[in-house]
């Protein structure tokens, strides 16, 4: 009886310890590569288990002992194969062997005082329920209480001893019902420690005592062992997975992805705002003389004063002008056409690229030599807002005028206009067409 009390205390302590661990342990999801409501093919669903322990006729709960109250500990062993059908439910086929014995110290003369039932084998199919994986509060806890119940066949050969004689009955195979309670501890991704206590209801002749007040005999199996998941190493075990953990992980991943995309859009938007502000600053004309601050060499010109391409006032001299007939030759037109062909600007800016300087120098020399007048008309494609395109086209025409004036051309002979996307010479539906529409036209007169 004292030994029975010790075993009972040990199992109760184990229960409290496991419950405490179940409540306090950090959740360790093993759900990489799985999706909410995904197929079981995302998991390893097969596992095997081996364990060993102690077989006894009596049990820690103190019922159905048939008078065999004195412990007679014997080694038992077991192995099983399990198929997990859902995170909280599986079916397992179990083998168990060993021997069970009991002593009735209060047996009357002629009654069975001791028995020993050898169990070479037993085979049962059980339904197993993992309680942790049905609890949404604890996501993939390391400690998982479980309960299983099944039905199987038990082979046994019982030897009974009375005060007079020992008798061995013929080997029998009868139905039995195993009920297993315990805890599984997840130590790695695919390995669990299995601690359990199994009650087995067997045929009433299991202990060799004629039928009495109990319709069946009961023996217990306290065991410890390991459970190993089978399958690909990169997959998690279905028995270690909680559906809530998978859902939370999927939600968190999508939230992080959307947050990253949002931050990228905000950064791109801020960069675009900076570019627009820079362009607006370049197009400012504080004195209102028609020349942007960027190119205005005489800022603060009074309103109404006529200025040249550099923004400086034009001095009009009272002198007699001799009007000469202007003749534009084919060679002159060729110089202008070459300048148009070679004229290039930085992307979305009015900065002339150095590759265009040589041909513009020849245009400037032509204007100086023959005193030609020149009309500059800037155009863009239809990409962007109309306001921005009008400003950019005007700015580019002004940039060409400023360059020619800087080379000695008379600013009064050069007119600069911006027409934006108006009057395209090609379609804006193709990159090639848009390239042709981005131009500055030169007209000599």
């Amino acid at each position: 009886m004292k030994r029975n009390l010790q075993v009972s205390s040990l199992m109760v302590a184990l229960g409290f310890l496991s419950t405490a661990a179940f409540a306090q342990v950090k959740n360790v999801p093993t759900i990489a590569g799985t999706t909410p409501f995904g197929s079981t093919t995302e998991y390893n669903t097969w596992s095997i288990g081996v364990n060993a322990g102690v077989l006894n006729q009596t049990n820690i709960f103190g019922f159905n002992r048939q008078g065999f109250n004195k412990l007679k500990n014997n080694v038992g062993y077991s192995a099983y194969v399990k198929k997990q059908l859902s995170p909280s439910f599986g079916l397992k086929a179990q083998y168990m062997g060993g021997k069970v014995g009991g002593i009735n110290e209060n047996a009357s003369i002629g009654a069975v005082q001791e028995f020993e039932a050898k169990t070479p084998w037993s085979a049962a199919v059980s339904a197993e329920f993992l309680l942790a994986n049905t609890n949404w509060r604890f996501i993939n806890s390391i400690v998982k209480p479980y309960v299983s119940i099944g039905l199987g066949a038990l082979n046994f050969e019982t030897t009974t001893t009375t005060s007079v004689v020992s008798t061995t009955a013929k080997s029998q195979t009868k139905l039995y019902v195993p009920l297993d309670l315990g805890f599984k501890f997840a130590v790695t991704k695919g390995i669990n420690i299995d601690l359990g206590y199994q009650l087995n209801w067997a045929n009433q002749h299991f202990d060799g005592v004629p039928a009495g007040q109990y319709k069946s005999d009961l023996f217990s199996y306290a065991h410890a062992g390991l459970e190993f998941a089978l399958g690909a190493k990169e997959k998690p075990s279905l028995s270690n997975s909680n559906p809530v953990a998978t859902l939370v992980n999927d939600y968190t991943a999508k939230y992080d992805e959307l947050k990253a995309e949002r931050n990228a859009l905000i950064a791109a938007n801020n960069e675009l705002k900076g570019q627009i502000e820079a362009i607006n600053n370049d197009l400012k004309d504080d004195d209102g003389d028609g020349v942007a601050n960027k190119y205005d060499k005489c800022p603060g010109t009074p309103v109404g004063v006529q200025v040249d391409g550099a923004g400086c006032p034009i001095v009009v001299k009272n002198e007699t002008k001799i009007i000469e007939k202007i003749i534009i030759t084919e060679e002159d037109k060729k110089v202008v056409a070459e300048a148009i062909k070679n004229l290039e600007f930085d992307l979305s800016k009015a900065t002339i690229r150095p590759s265009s300087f040589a041909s513009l120098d020849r245009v400037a020399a032509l204007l100086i030599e023959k005193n030609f007048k020149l009309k500059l008309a800037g155009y863009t494609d239809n990409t962007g807002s109309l306001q921005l395109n009008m400003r950019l086209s005007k700015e580019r025409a002004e940039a060409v005028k400023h360059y020619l004036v800087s080379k000695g051309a008379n600013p009064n002979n050069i007119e600069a206009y911006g027409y934006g996307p108006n009057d395209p010479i090609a379609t804006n539906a193709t990159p090639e067409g848009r390239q042709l529409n981005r131009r500055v036209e030169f007209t000599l007169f």
Side-chain angles (χ1 to χ4, degrees), residues 66 110-112 160 204-205 207-214 217:
Q66 301 280 41
V112 177
T160 57
Q204 62 184 2
H205 297 297
D207 59 7
V209 178
Q213 60 175 321
Y214 299 104
D217 294 329

Side-chain angles (χ1 to χ4, degrees), residues 13-29:
L14 177 61
F16 280 120
L17 178 62
S18 301
T19 303
F22 176 69
Q24 298 176 14
V25 71
K26 285 187 176 181
N27 297 322
V28 183

Side-chain angles (χ1 to χ4, degrees), residues 291-339:
V291 179
N293 293 346
K294 182 176 180 181
Y295 304 107
D296 198 340
K297 295 190 177 297
C298 299
T301 304
V303 177
V305 175
Q306 188 177 4
V307 298
D308 58 22
C312 295
I314 298 175
V315 179
V316 180
K317 297 180 180 180
N318 293 323
E319 56 184 25
T320 303
K321 294 184 179 180
I322 301 174
I323 300 176
E324 298 179 354
K325 185 178 180 181
I326 298 175
I327 300 175
I328 301 174
T329 66
E330 290 299 323
E331 186 64 28
D332 297 336
K333 293 180 181 179
K334 183 177 179 181
V335 171
V336 172
E338 183 180 359

